[in-house]
Amino acid sequence: MRVARFAGDDDPRFGVIGDDDGVATIAVLRGDPLYAGFELTGQKVPLDDVRLLAPVIPRSKVVCVGLNYARHAAELGGDVPEEPLIFLKPNTSVIGPGEPIFYPEQSSDVHYEGELAVVIGRICRDISAEDAAKVIFGYTVANDVTARDLQTKDGQWARAKGFDTFCPLGPWIETNLDPSNLEVNTTLNDEPKQDSRTSDMVFSPADVIEYVSSFMTLLPGDVILTGTPEGVGPMSVGDTVSVTVEGIGTLTNKVVSRD
Ligand code: ZN
């Protein structure tokens, strides 16, 4: 099931992506699939008639894994950590598909990082990797936008990773997916930049959930970004960046100047 959050004429609502005789539709839901119960309303709208929003706005946190692909660690001049390297992005950095990434004045080296993202569905603590599937609501696509110059300058990453608009998520949440061997690719203005597979991850999504939940309670709607493969690079104002994860879809955003 593909769960989308969208805006039409009304307030944001949730729906399930479907297909009616070759026309992509959204079956509208009543309620909130992440934070409450939900049911089908019986209403369907064409996908083309709505604007997709970030499929989840975390009430609490976006947890990220750094250097989780060996060739990406090497391109940044480091080794793969022995334990998952964890950092946070604020929930205010989240935007949806098609929304602009604002290029901050404080940086002159803003990079894309295409990633598989996990959406947590249940409150949990101390979950083993074997039980991790029980707390996963689904998977979406993320771009862990990073001000690389500030990441180096600041020493810790809150500013470099935390600007408003630096966490595009979407286009929807796929609830039925095996994350172990999916293609992850990123294009910049249709030019291929990243192309790898989740099988190259050092720590699997289940390993990461075990590790993170050993010290931090995970809540419904929390999102875990599982790290980016090699091929990261700079974006400029005017660029269009697209991240595709096999089995989910493509997340596209444009980089714009704030003024
Ligand atoms: Zn990242």
Side-chain angles (χ1 to χ4, degrees):
M1 176 171 82
R2 288 180 168 175
V3 179
R5 191 168 147 267
F6 66 96
D9 303 329
D10 293 319
D11 293 336
R13 288 177 294 172
F14 288 90
V16 177
I17 305 287
D19 181 290
D20 258 13
D21 293 329
V23 178
T25 57
I26 295 187
V28 181
L29 301 179
R30 185 181 296 114
D32 184 328
L34 269 160
Y35 299 118
F38 68 95
E39 56 185 3
L40 287 165
T41 60
Q43 186 194 356
K44 276 188 187 174
V45 290
L47 188 57
D48 283 348
D49 289 358
V50 303
R51 186 166 63 89
L52 292 178
L53 305 171
V56 54
I57 299 289
R59 289 185 184 174
S60 175
K61 55 197 172 289
V62 179
V63 183
C64 307
V65 189
L67 308 178
N68 199 24
Y69 288 78
R71 287 192 293 271
H72 171 59
E75 77 182 348
L76 292 187
D79 293 325
V80 169
E82 284 178 21
E83 292 182 308
L85 173 64
I86 302 298
F87 61 96
L88 300 173
K89 285 168 97 81
N91 57 4
T92 43
S93 63
V94 171
I95 58 170
E99 291 192 76
I101 299 166
F102 288 121
Y103 202 113
E105 279 182 15
Q106 294 171 26
S107 173
S108 53
D109 194 22
V110 173
H111 284 206
Y112 53 82
E113 292 191 358
E115 309 195 6
L116 170 72
V118 182
V119 181
I120 298 295
R122 284 172 49 184
I123 184 168
C124 61
R125 180 75 205 267
D126 292 323
I127 289 293
S128 67
E130 297 84 72
D131 286 339
K134 295 177 187 165
V135 305
I136 294 173
F137 179 80
Y139 298 87
T140 190
V141 181
N143 188 344
D144 176 19
V145 179
T146 303
R148 196 71 70 202
D149 46 355
L150 302 181
Q151 187 180 26
T152 308
K153 181 181 174 195
D154 290 353
Q156 54 80 34
W157 304 354
R159 179 167 64 142
K161 300 279 193 177
F163 282 96
D164 289 356
T165 76
F166 270 27
C167 190
L169 296 177
W172 40 65
I173 300 168
E174 172 60 70
T175 60
N176 183 22
L177 190 71
D178 175 354
S180 59
N181 187 13
L182 304 172
E183 184 182 3
V184 178
N185 80 62
T186 306
T187 63
L188 193 66
N189 305 322
D190 293 326
E191 202 179 302
K193 293 292 184 184
Q194 295 185 289
D195 191 2
S196 190
R197 302 195 71 82
T198 56
S199 51
D200 288 340
M201 279 182 193
V202 180
F203 302 103
S204 71
D207 293 337
V208 171
I209 287 171
E210 175 174 300
Y211 182 72
V212 172
S213 74
S214 75
F215 60 88
M216 187 188 285
T217 299
L218 291 170
L219 300 177
D222 282 354
V223 176
I224 300 178
L225 272 50
T226 58
T228 198
E230 71 282 6
V232 299
M235 303 185 288
S236 304
V237 169
D239 286 348
T240 297
V241 59
S242 290
V243 182
T244 302
V245 177
E246 182 183 1
I248 305 175
T250 299
L251 170 67
T252 299
N253 298 87
K254 194 167 177 172
V255 183
V256 306
S257 156
R258 196 176 269 283
D259 37 57

